[in-house]
Amino acid sequence: GAPKREDYCLILSIVFIFVTGVKCKSDVSLNGRTVIVTGKAYFSSLSLSLCANTGIGKETALDMARRGARVVLACRSKDRAEAAVLDIRRKTSNNQVVFMHLDLASLKSVRAFAETFLKSEPQLHILINNAGVGLVGKTEDGFSMGVGVNHFGHFLLTNLLLERLKQCVPSRVVVLASETYRMVGLDFSKLSRTEPGHTNGFLDYAHSKLCNVLFARELSNRLEGTNVTCYSVHPGEHSITWLMLILVPVAALLFRDPEGGAQTSIHCAVQEGIERFSGRYFSDCRVREVVAHARDDAVARKLWEFSERMVGLSAD
């Protein structure tokens, strides 16, 4: 027979939950705590809204500021970031929101940011590695853009700030990954420096997201007993596949708004009682099991050691 009214209500409820997602329920205060949110991200012509000065990153920073934190927007674009700082200050009445320049496509810039931050900021409690790109091309250091920014830039940044995080425990690292990690296996040849035109922007992005998941896993293993915990998260973009990239108008309907997309990052940054899940992958504010190739500790350790060499943290 014809669908009943309650059937339509159920369908609408499912769609609403799918698009808006789950809200972080924690009301914990961050007074006296310092947070870094990294930013600037585009996926080709389709924005992923992972910027700290717009989209998911800005909503994450806004939430941190509402909780009373000192928030550092670590972004490439000075003008956009400073506009975001003013907007967040206005909305939260929190004047402890500042901009510091960071270009994750340049390891030199990452080192300069870390040096400036460590000299000027005595504390760091939460590092949110939010930025990500899905562009064809290469970084200043010769890596493919996706892997260079999404993995190597954040890998170096996290390592340079790790001692400060250990000094300010309990502290956390949140790494934005994506469900696209499922689409590829780890190929170390694709992590080395590359020539322009030899990468596929989307597959490079997926590869970098697998690196993010493995990075958080190995980081957790190395931080065991320190009271610094870390989590990889799937933000609010739903199943970005080649089909969604072709069907942009349809894909747009399946993207959560920035506030909804930020909820899992916020959850992993502030929710009490999730420390036992350090190193795990979260989506919709819940821990999720990852596919086999993303929970291989031997591969995660190999990726860490390889990454140390690539960013100049190892003498090998």
Side-chain angles (χ1 to χ4, degrees), residues 35-79:
V35 179
I36 293 175
V37 182
T38 69
K40 209 67 187 91
Y42 288 100
F43 193 103
S44 220
S45 61
L46 181 61
S47 173
L48 278 182
S49 297
L50 300 184
C51 324
N53 51 4
T54 62
I56 291 173
K58 183 180 177 183
E59 287 296 331
T60 303
L62 183 64
D63 183 275
M64 299 294 106
R66 282 185 175 133
R67 296 172 187 270
R70 177 170 177 79
V71 182
V72 176
L73 300 187
C75 307
R76 187 179 62 182
S77 171
K78 182 175 186 291
D79 290 343

mmCIF file of all heavy atoms in Angstrom, residues 35-79:
data_model
loop_
_atom_site.group_PDB
_atom_site.id
_atom_site.type_symbol
_atom_site.label_atom_id
_atom_site.label_comp_id
_atom_site.label_asym_id
_atom_site.label_seq_id
_atom_site.Cartn_x
_atom_site.Cartn_y
_atom_site.Cartn_z
ATOM 1 N N VAL A 35 44.631 25.779 23.203
ATOM 2 C CA VAL A 35 44.285 24.883 22.097
ATOM 3 C C VAL A 35 44.860 25.438 20.794
ATOM 4 O O VAL A 35 44.778 26.641 20.536
ATOM 5 C CB VAL A 35 42.750 24.762 21.952
ATOM 6 C CG1 VAL A 35 42.393 23.841 20.796
ATOM 7 C CG2 VAL A 35 42.108 24.290 23.247
ATOM 8 N N ILE A 36 45.429 24.571 19.973
ATOM 9 C CA ILE A 36 45.811 24.924 18.598
ATOM 10 C C ILE A 36 44.856 24.220 17.647
ATOM 11 O O ILE A 36 44.596 23.024 17.785
ATOM 12 C CB ILE A 36 47.255 24.488 18.271
ATOM 13 C CG1 ILE A 36 48.274 25.284 19.074
ATOM 14 C CG2 ILE A 36 47.532 24.654 16.766
ATOM 15 C CD1 ILE A 36 49.713 24.795 18.870
ATOM 16 N N VAL A 37 44.332 24.970 16.660
ATOM 17 C CA VAL A 37 43.546 24.386 15.577
ATOM 18 C C VAL A 37 44.236 24.765 14.270
ATOM 19 O O VAL A 37 44.357 25.951 13.952
ATOM 20 C CB VAL A 37 42.090 24.906 15.569
ATOM 21 C CG1 VAL A 37 41.302 24.231 14.452
ATOM 22 C CG2 VAL A 37 41.415 24.670 16.917
ATOM 23 N N THR A 38 44.709 23.769 13.517
ATOM 24 C CA THR A 38 45.363 24.079 12.242
ATOM 25 C C THR A 38 44.331 24.241 11.150
ATOM 26 O O THR A 38 43.220 23.725 11.234
ATOM 27 C CB THR A 38 46.368 22.986 11.838
ATOM 28 O OG1 THR A 38 45.665 21.783 11.506
ATOM 29 C CG2 THR A 38 47.361 22.717 12.942
ATOM 30 N N GLY A 39 44.709 24.951 10.099
ATOM 31 C CA GLY A 39 43.718 25.224 9.076
ATOM 32 C C GLY A 39 44.223 25.432 7.670
ATOM 33 O O GLY A 39 45.410 25.528 7.415
ATOM 34 N N LYS A 40 43.311 25.505 6.794
ATOM 35 C CA LYS A 40 43.221 25.785 5.361
ATOM 36 C C LYS A 40 43.184 24.521 4.570
ATOM 37 O O LYS A 40 44.156 23.779 4.498
ATOM 38 C CB LYS A 40 44.333 26.687 4.841
ATOM 39 C CG LYS A 40 43.830 27.475 3.647
ATOM 40 C CD LYS A 40 42.760 28.464 4.078
ATOM 41 C CE LYS A 40 42.115 29.132 2.900
ATOM 42 N NZ LYS A 40 40.941 28.430 2.415
ATOM 43 N N ALA A 41 42.018 24.247 3.996
ATOM 44 C CA ALA A 41 41.861 23.008 3.247
ATOM 45 C C ALA A 41 40.877 23.144 2.102
ATOM 46 O O ALA A 41 39.811 23.689 2.248
ATOM 47 C CB ALA A 41 41.372 21.919 4.185
ATOM 48 N N TYR A 42 41.257 22.611 0.972
ATOM 49 C CA TYR A 42 40.344 22.518 -0.158
ATOM 50 C C TYR A 42 40.513 21.167 -0.821
ATOM 51 O O TYR A 42 41.605 20.623 -0.869
ATOM 52 C CB TYR A 42 40.612 23.623 -1.184
ATOM 53 C CG TYR A 42 40.185 24.980 -0.703
ATOM 54 C CD1 TYR A 42 41.111 25.874 -0.194
ATOM 55 C CD2 TYR A 42 38.847 25.349 -0.727
ATOM 56 C CE1 TYR A 42 40.715 27.114 0.266
ATOM 57 C CE2 TYR A 42 38.443 26.590 -0.275
ATOM 58 C CZ TYR A 42 39.388 27.472 0.215
ATOM 59 O OH TYR A 42 38.991 28.698 0.679
ATOM 60 N N PHE A 43 39.419 20.622 -1.315
ATOM 61 C CA PHE A 43 39.489 19.399 -2.108
ATOM 62 C C PHE A 43 39.121 19.786 -3.530
ATOM 63 O O PHE A 43 37.960 19.868 -3.881
ATOM 64 C CB PHE A 43 38.511 18.341 -1.588
ATOM 65 C CG PHE A 43 38.795 16.997 -2.188
ATOM 66 C CD1 PHE A 43 39.448 16.030 -1.457
ATOM 67 C CD2 PHE A 43 38.425 16.718 -3.497
ATOM 68 C CE1 PHE A 43 39.717 14.786 -2.025
ATOM 69 C CE2 PHE A 43 38.689 15.483 -4.065
ATOM 70 C CZ PHE A 43 39.343 14.518 -3.317
ATOM 71 N N SER A 44 40.126 20.049 -4.335
ATOM 72 C CA SER A 44 39.910 20.491 -5.704
ATOM 73 C C SER A 44 38.992 21.706 -5.679
ATOM 74 O O SER A 44 39.204 22.627 -4.909
ATOM 75 C CB SER A 44 39.317 19.343 -6.521
ATOM 76 O OG SER A 44 39.870 19.305 -7.788
ATOM 77 N N SER A 45 37.915 21.704 -6.480
ATOM 78 C CA SER A 45 37.015 22.855 -6.459
ATOM 79 C C SER A 45 35.909 22.690 -5.429
ATOM 80 O O SER A 45 35.102 23.587 -5.228
ATOM 81 C CB SER A 45 36.375 23.036 -7.839
ATOM 82 O OG SER A 45 35.629 21.889 -8.185
ATOM 83 N N LEU A 46 35.876 21.511 -4.775
ATOM 84 C CA LEU A 46 34.836 21.220 -3.785
ATOM 85 C C LEU A 46 35.424 21.375 -2.405
ATOM 86 O O LEU A 46 36.235 20.582 -1.969
ATOM 87 C CB LEU A 46 34.334 19.790 -3.977
ATOM 88 C CG LEU A 46 33.220 19.302 -3.045
ATOM 89 C CD1 LEU A 46 31.972 20.162 -3.227
ATOM 90 C CD2 LEU A 46 32.913 17.854 -3.317
ATOM 91 N N SER A 47 35.058 22.427 -1.695
ATOM 92 C CA SER A 47 35.669 22.696 -0.399
ATOM 93 C C SER A 47 35.251 21.667 0.631
ATOM 94 O O SER A 47 34.096 21.329 0.773
ATOM 95 C CB SER A 47 35.246 24.081 0.102
ATOM 96 O OG SER A 47 35.703 24.275 1.431
ATOM 97 N N LEU A 48 36.229 21.177 1.376
ATOM 98 C CA LEU A 48 35.950 20.252 2.470
ATOM 99 C C LEU A 48 35.669 20.992 3.767
ATOM 100 O O LEU A 48 35.346 20.386 4.771
ATOM 101 C CB LEU A 48 37.158 19.329 2.702
ATOM 102 C CG LEU A 48 37.277 18.125 1.792
ATOM 103 C CD1 LEU A 48 38.496 17.314 2.203
ATOM 104 C CD2 LEU A 48 36.053 17.263 1.848
ATOM 105 N N SER A 49 35.832 22.305 3.755
ATOM 106 C CA SER A 49 35.558 23.122 4.941
ATOM 107 C C SER A 49 36.327 22.663 6.166
ATOM 108 O O SER A 49 35.787 22.603 7.254
ATOM 109 C CB SER A 49 34.048 23.126 5.252
ATOM 110 O OG SER A 49 33.334 23.715 4.218
ATOM 111 N N LEU A 50 37.605 22.313 5.968
ATOM 112 C CA LEU A 50 38.423 21.907 7.102
ATOM 113 C C LEU A 50 39.331 23.034 7.574
ATOM 114 O O LEU A 50 40.262 22.807 8.327
ATOM 115 C CB LEU A 50 39.291 20.692 6.721
ATOM 116 C CG LEU A 50 38.540 19.436 6.291
ATOM 117 C CD1 LEU A 50 39.526 18.305 6.051
ATOM 118 C CD2 LEU A 50 37.515 19.019 7.324
ATOM 119 N N CYS A 51 39.058 24.264 7.128
ATOM 120 C CA CYS A 51 39.912 25.378 7.481
ATOM 121 C C CYS A 51 39.668 25.813 8.917
ATOM 122 O O CYS A 51 38.570 25.741 9.418
ATOM 123 C CB CYS A 51 39.644 26.566 6.561
ATOM 124 S SG CYS A 51 39.278 26.095 4.874
ATOM 125 N N ALA A 52 40.734 26.314 9.557
ATOM 126 C CA ALA A 52 40.558 26.856 10.908
ATOM 127 C C ALA A 52 39.883 28.215 10.841
ATOM 128 O O ALA A 52 39.333 28.684 11.826
ATOM 129 C CB ALA A 52 41.899 26.966 11.611
ATOM 130 N N ASN A 53 39.957 28.867 9.661
ATOM 131 C CA ASN A 53 39.337 30.196 9.550
ATOM 132 C C ASN A 53 37.964 30.142 8.895
ATOM 133 O O ASN A 53 37.297 31.160 8.769
ATOM 134 C CB ASN A 53 40.268 31.162 8.788
ATOM 135 C CG ASN A 53 40.757 30.598 7.475
ATOM 136 O OD1 ASN A 53 40.358 29.516 7.070
ATOM 137 N ND2 ASN A 53 41.626 31.330 6.820
ATOM 138 N N THR A 54 37.531 28.976 8.433
ATOM 139 C CA THR A 54 36.169 28.793 7.918
ATOM 140 C C THR A 54 35.736 27.370 8.225
ATOM 141 O O THR A 54 36.527 26.531 8.636
ATOM 142 C CB THR A 54 36.095 29.004 6.382
ATOM 143 O OG1 THR A 54 36.929 28.026 5.747
ATOM 144 C CG2 THR A 54 36.544 30.398 5.979
ATOM 145 N N GLY A 55 34.474 27.059 7.998
ATOM 146 C CA GLY A 55 34.004 25.689 8.026
ATOM 147 C C GLY A 55 34.214 24.956 9.332
ATOM 148 O O GLY A 55 34.072 25.496 10.420
ATOM 149 N N ILE A 56 34.554 23.650 9.220
ATOM 150 C CA ILE A 56 34.687 22.777 10.376
ATOM 151 C C ILE A 56 35.734 23.308 11.350
ATOM 152 O O ILE A 56 35.530 23.302 12.563
ATOM 153 C CB ILE A 56 35.049 21.351 9.914
ATOM 154 C CG1 ILE A 56 33.859 20.718 9.196
ATOM 155 C CG2 ILE A 56 35.470 20.492 11.097
ATOM 156 C CD1 ILE A 56 34.171 19.380 8.553
ATOM 157 N N GLY A 57 36.864 23.754 10.818
ATOM 158 C CA GLY A 57 37.917 24.257 11.698
ATOM 159 C C GLY A 57 37.483 25.459 12.507
ATOM 160 O O GLY A 57 37.758 25.560 13.704
ATOM 161 N N LYS A 58 36.784 26.368 11.853
ATOM 162 C CA LYS A 58 36.317 27.555 12.575
ATOM 163 C C LYS A 58 35.288 27.176 13.629
ATOM 164 O O LYS A 58 35.303 27.720 14.744
ATOM 165 C CB LYS A 58 35.717 28.575 11.605
ATOM 166 C CG LYS A 58 35.290 29.867 12.319
ATOM 167 C CD LYS A 58 34.704 30.882 11.346
ATOM 168 C CE LYS A 58 34.213 32.116 12.090
ATOM 169 N NZ LYS A 58 33.575 33.089 11.180
ATOM 170 N N GLU A 59 34.390 26.260 13.301
ATOM 171 C CA GLU A 59 33.388 25.824 14.281
ATOM 172 C C GLU A 59 34.053 25.131 15.470
ATOM 173 O O GLU A 59 33.622 25.289 16.614
ATOM 174 C CB GLU A 59 32.376 24.880 13.628
ATOM 175 C CG GLU A 59 31.406 25.571 12.689
ATOM 176 C CD GLU A 59 30.503 26.575 13.393
ATOM 177 O OE1 GLU A 59 30.203 26.384 14.592
ATOM 178 O OE2 GLU A 59 30.092 27.551 12.738
ATOM 179 N N THR A 60 35.110 24.373 15.204
ATOM 180 C CA THR A 60 35.852 23.735 16.284
ATOM 181 C C THR A 60 36.497 24.785 17.171
ATOM 182 O O THR A 60 36.412 24.731 18.403
ATOM 183 C CB THR A 60 36.928 22.794 15.710
ATOM 184 O OG1 THR A 60 36.308 21.828 14.849
ATOM 185 C CG2 THR A 60 37.663 22.071 16.822
ATOM 186 N N ALA A 61 37.145 25.773 16.544
ATOM 187 C CA ALA A 61 37.779 26.846 17.296
ATOM 188 C C ALA A 61 36.753 27.659 18.085
ATOM 189 O O ALA A 61 36.993 28.054 19.231
ATOM 190 C CB ALA A 61 38.558 27.757 16.343
ATOM 191 N N LEU A 62 35.600 27.888 17.464
ATOM 192 C CA LEU A 62 34.525 28.629 18.124
ATOM 193 C C LEU A 62 34.067 27.904 19.384
ATOM 194 O O LEU A 62 33.871 28.512 20.443
ATOM 195 C CB LEU A 62 33.357 28.800 17.155
ATOM 196 C CG LEU A 62 32.151 29.613 17.610
ATOM 197 C CD1 LEU A 62 32.526 31.066 17.869
ATOM 198 C CD2 LEU A 62 31.036 29.543 16.552
ATOM 199 N N ASP A 63 33.908 26.591 19.292
ATOM 200 C CA ASP A 63 33.501 25.807 20.455
ATOM 201 C C ASP A 63 34.555 25.862 21.556
ATOM 202 O O ASP A 63 34.236 26.003 22.745
ATOM 203 C CB ASP A 63 33.251 24.351 20.047
ATOM 204 C CG ASP A 63 32.749 23.509 21.192
ATOM 205 O OD1 ASP A 63 33.588 23.003 21.978
ATOM 206 O OD2 ASP A 63 31.516 23.358 21.339
ATOM 207 N N MET A 64 35.822 25.734 21.174
ATOM 208 C CA MET A 64 36.897 25.801 22.166
ATOM 209 C C MET A 64 36.897 27.160 22.872
ATOM 210 O O MET A 64 37.084 27.254 24.094
ATOM 211 C CB MET A 64 38.257 25.584 21.492
ATOM 212 C CG MET A 64 38.429 24.237 20.791
ATOM 213 S SD MET A 64 38.443 22.788 21.855
ATOM 214 C CE MET A 64 36.809 22.113 21.484
ATOM 215 N N ALA A 65 36.670 28.228 22.094
ATOM 216 C CA ALA A 65 36.644 29.577 22.674
ATOM 217 C C ALA A 65 35.452 29.754 23.604
ATOM 218 O O ALA A 65 35.561 30.397 24.654
ATOM 219 C CB ALA A 65 36.606 30.617 21.555
ATOM 220 N N ARG A 66 34.307 29.197 23.228
ATOM 221 C CA ARG A 66 33.123 29.283 24.097
ATOM 222 C C ARG A 66 33.362 28.605 25.434
ATOM 223 O O ARG A 66 32.769 28.976 26.448
ATOM 224 C CB ARG A 66 31.916 28.657 23.395
ATOM 225 C CG ARG A 66 31.293 29.551 22.335
ATOM 226 C CD ARG A 66 30.040 28.936 21.770
ATOM 227 N NE ARG A 66 29.377 29.837 20.833
ATOM 228 C CZ ARG A 66 28.922 29.496 19.640
ATOM 229 N NH1 ARG A 66 29.051 28.240 19.226
ATOM 230 N NH2 ARG A 66 28.335 30.378 18.858
ATOM 231 N N ARG A 67 34.227 27.614 25.436
ATOM 232 C CA ARG A 67 34.536 26.902 26.670
ATOM 233 C C ARG A 67 35.599 27.622 27.500
ATOM 234 O O ARG A 67 36.010 27.132 28.553
ATOM 235 C CB ARG A 67 35.000 25.479 26.349
ATOM 236 C CG ARG A 67 33.927 24.625 25.697
ATOM 237 C CD ARG A 67 34.489 23.283 25.222
ATOM 238 N NE ARG A 67 33.493 22.530 24.459
ATOM 239 C CZ ARG A 67 32.636 21.666 24.983
ATOM 240 N NH1 ARG A 67 32.660 21.426 26.288
ATOM 241 N NH2 ARG A 67 31.769 21.033 24.217
ATOM 242 N N GLY A 68 36.065 28.759 26.984
ATOM 243 C CA GLY A 68 37.007 29.576 27.739
ATOM 244 C C GLY A 68 38.466 29.347 27.445
ATOM 245 O O GLY A 68 39.338 29.901 28.124
ATOM 246 N N ALA A 69 38.782 28.552 26.417
ATOM 247 C CA ALA A 69 40.177 28.257 26.108
ATOM 248 C C ALA A 69 40.877 29.442 25.450
ATOM 249 O O ALA A 69 40.242 30.309 24.848
ATOM 250 C CB ALA A 69 40.262 27.051 25.176
ATOM 251 N N ARG A 70 42.189 29.442 25.557
ATOM 252 C CA ARG A 70 43.010 30.303 24.704
ATOM 253 C C ARG A 70 43.205 29.523 23.416
ATOM 254 O O ARG A 70 43.716 28.391 23.441
ATOM 255 C CB ARG A 70 44.358 30.610 25.355
ATOM 256 C CG ARG A 70 45.280 31.445 24.467
ATOM 257 C CD ARG A 70 46.510 31.934 25.220
ATOM 258 N NE ARG A 70 47.419 32.668 24.355
ATOM 259 C CZ ARG A 70 47.269 33.927 23.983
ATOM 260 N NH1 ARG A 70 46.214 34.612 24.415
ATOM 261 N NH2 ARG A 70 48.138 34.519 23.200
ATOM 262 N N VAL A 71 42.774 30.096 22.286
ATOM 263 C CA VAL A 71 42.748 29.365 21.019
ATOM 264 C C VAL A 71 43.701 30.010 20.017
ATOM 265 O O VAL A 71 43.607 31.216 19.752
ATOM 266 C CB VAL A 71 41.323 29.332 20.426
ATOM 267 C CG1 VAL A 71 41.305 28.519 19.133
ATOM 268 C CG2 VAL A 71 40.330 28.740 21.436
ATOM 269 N N VAL A 72 44.594 29.206 19.472
ATOM 270 C CA VAL A 72 45.518 29.669 18.438
ATOM 271 C C VAL A 72 45.055 29.094 17.101
ATOM 272 O O VAL A 72 45.010 27.873 16.921
ATOM 273 C CB VAL A 72 46.958 29.212 18.729
ATOM 274 C CG1 VAL A 72 47.891 29.628 17.586
ATOM 275 C CG2 VAL A 72 47.445 29.781 20.058
ATOM 276 N N LEU A 73 44.680 29.984 16.171
ATOM 277 C CA LEU A 73 44.349 29.567 14.816
ATOM 278 C C LEU A 73 45.644 29.544 14.006
ATOM 279 O O LEU A 73 46.236 30.582 13.729
ATOM 280 C CB LEU A 73 43.357 30.534 14.173
ATOM 281 C CG LEU A 73 42.005 30.723 14.861
ATOM 282 C CD1 LEU A 73 41.094 31.589 13.991
ATOM 283 C CD2 LEU A 73 41.347 29.395 15.145
ATOM 284 N N ALA A 74 46.086 28.349 13.669
ATOM 285 C CA ALA A 74 47.339 28.181 12.939
ATOM 286 C C ALA A 74 47.012 28.005 11.464
ATOM 287 O O ALA A 74 46.685 26.905 11.014
ATOM 288 C CB ALA A 74 48.095 26.974 13.478
ATOM 289 N N CYS A 75 47.089 29.096 10.704
ATOM 290 C CA CYS A 75 46.599 29.114 9.319
ATOM 291 C C CYS A 75 47.607 29.755 8.380
ATOM 292 O O CYS A 75 48.498 30.489 8.795
ATOM 293 C CB CYS A 75 45.293 29.903 9.227
ATOM 294 S SG CYS A 75 44.016 29.380 10.372
ATOM 295 N N ARG A 76 47.404 29.515 7.110
ATOM 296 C CA ARG A 76 48.267 30.100 6.087
ATOM 297 C C ARG A 76 47.835 31.515 5.714
ATOM 298 O O ARG A 76 48.674 32.393 5.500
ATOM 299 C CB ARG A 76 48.244 29.211 4.838
ATOM 300 C CG ARG A 76 49.236 29.636 3.765
ATOM 301 C CD ARG A 76 49.171 28.696 2.592
ATOM 302 N NE ARG A 76 47.858 28.710 1.952
ATOM 303 C CZ ARG A 76 47.525 27.952 0.919
ATOM 304 N NH1 ARG A 76 48.392 27.079 0.429
ATOM 305 N NH2 ARG A 76 46.325 28.031 0.379
ATOM 306 N N SER A 77 46.523 31.750 5.630
ATOM 307 C CA SER A 77 46.015 33.042 5.180
ATOM 308 C C SER A 77 45.833 34.005 6.353
ATOM 309 O O SER A 77 44.932 33.831 7.171
ATOM 310 C CB SER A 77 44.685 32.862 4.454
ATOM 311 O OG SER A 77 44.084 34.111 4.190
ATOM 312 N N LYS A 78 46.658 35.031 6.406
ATOM 313 C CA LYS A 78 46.608 36.001 7.500
ATOM 314 C C LYS A 78 45.286 36.758 7.510
ATOM 315 O O LYS A 78 44.637 36.893 8.559
ATOM 316 C CB LYS A 78 47.772 36.986 7.381
ATOM 317 C CG LYS A 78 47.865 38.023 8.488
ATOM 318 C CD LYS A 78 49.129 38.866 8.313
ATOM 319 C CE LYS A 78 49.328 39.824 9.476
ATOM 320 N NZ LYS A 78 48.321 40.895 9.506
ATOM 321 N N ASP A 79 44.852 37.228 6.358
ATOM 322 C CA ASP A 79 43.640 38.045 6.293
ATOM 323 C C ASP A 79 42.413 37.254 6.734
ATOM 324 O O ASP A 79 41.595 37.723 7.527
ATOM 325 C CB ASP A 79 43.427 38.579 4.871
ATOM 326 C CG ASP A 79 44.469 39.630 4.500
ATOM 327 O OD1 ASP A 79 45.128 40.168 5.423
ATOM 328 O OD2 ASP A 79 44.623 39.908 3.297
#
